[in-house]
Amino acid sequence: MLSASLARGIRQASKPTALQSRSATTASSSQKFKVLVVGGGSAGLSVAQQIYNRFQAAGKSLAAGDIGIVDAAENHYYQPGWTLVGSGLLPKTDFSRPLASLIPAHIAHIPENVKSFSPNSSTVTTTSGRDISYDTLVVAAGLQTNFDGIAGLPAALEDPNSGVSTIYSYKTCDKVWTDIENLKSGKAVFTQPAGIIKCAGAPQKIMWMAWDRFRRTGRQDISVNFYTGMPTMFSVKKYSDALDALRQERGVGGYFGHNLVSIDSGNRKATFKKADDGSEVTVDYSLLHVTPPMGPLNVFKGSPIADAAGWVPVNKATLQHDKPEFSNVFAIGDCSNLPTSKTAAAITAQAPVLTENLFSFVDTGKVAIAEYDGYTSCPLLTGYGELMLAEFKYGLETKESFSDFFDQKKSNRFFYHLKKDVFPYAYWNYMVKGTWFGSKGLSKPEF
């Protein structure tokens, strides 16, 4: 539940603070870290600060620079906000900050990327050839979006007149809104690939927002169609059934087991491969919103810390590496093989568990009793002013925060404002600082 202190914080104007990030030149002087975090995304920033706070709370404070974050990115993005940009609700600049500005002075920032992992010697090598050693490693590197996995997609996204866009890129998320607004008639097609993607509900969130925008602006003659490589609308049956009923009620076409393989933007044609028989079908479009295929980062392919598929294998409860010989390695978020949906909400539940287990491992040589139950959440926008809040855990079992007050398979305005207003505020003011715990708000879980 949202805490009273968070509610008060939202009502108050945020006060500007001085940047406290450690300069790259200072950070680069250290060659070894007690805790090295690979990745400065949602998971990396949050867990790095939580680890620092945990040692401090135990009276065993780490020195400035004992924790390091390795990431060459210039900017940090709040990616859940890109759907809001594509829906015309907020400018994309609201969801970007310089990464260095989010890293506090007591955490070192190494502005490079990792080229290889050597867990047997507890070192990583950066793209510049620099070796960095660690006592414990947290892999929070995320995943990659494979735009080139669909023939014709990169060129179509570069073309402002192609009618092709995606919310899965900061560069193109505002093009989604432009295309929605410019479409006067015809066929709007929204796609989702088979397999693992970030926030598996996002491909249809933007579809529902476009459908509602068309309806509100008198463009009901535009047909809306959902082509998905998945067999159902959503992985959890409760929400899937509700979404499919909504699809039928709104007259949205549903084509399941259809994977987008190529785009001919010059002729506005999209080709899909059918899962049942492998045949291909080509459809015309006026607007095409594409969710590209995704997968593990190239750095993990063939890496000793990754499995055959390229994900970092960890104990699904403790987040410690599966291999006993790599017991000083932990992983969190999208880069891990955790069998749950890859969302920011999942990270809010994973970070305190990893933190507690890493602290215990450093302190006693073994992990604590903290266990992650697979909690994740997908705030499913179904139109302007309405949202269905899907929350679930391992086994696709629901784990809902508001079931005492709402039927969560039904959209409502309260959930909508959580997505639009509360979560972005909480992210920039609390989550990246390690003090936001998702469904528990500002209350740190006790183990």
Side-chain angles (χ1 to χ4, degrees), residues 85-88 160-161 163 165 172-184 214 219 287:
V85 176
S87 303
N161 301 311
S165 61
T172 63
C173 59
D174 50 351
K175 187 176 190 282
V176 177
W177 176 242
T178 299
D179 286 354
I180 289 172
E181 286 297 89
N182 288 344
L183 187 63
K184 305 306 179 187
F214 297 150
R219 293 177 281 170
L287 176 153

Side-chain angles (χ1 to χ4, degrees), residues 304-341:
I305 70 163
D307 61 21
W311 306 109
V312 182
V314 293
N315 181 288
K316 73 175 190 176
T318 67
L319 280 69
Q320 185 181 38
H321 202 283
D322 272 349
K323 294 185 177 181
E325 62 268 35
F326 302 154
S327 59
N328 64 334
V329 176
F330 296 78
I332 184 173
D334 295 354
C335 68
S336 74
N337 73 337
L338 292 169
T340 193
S341 185

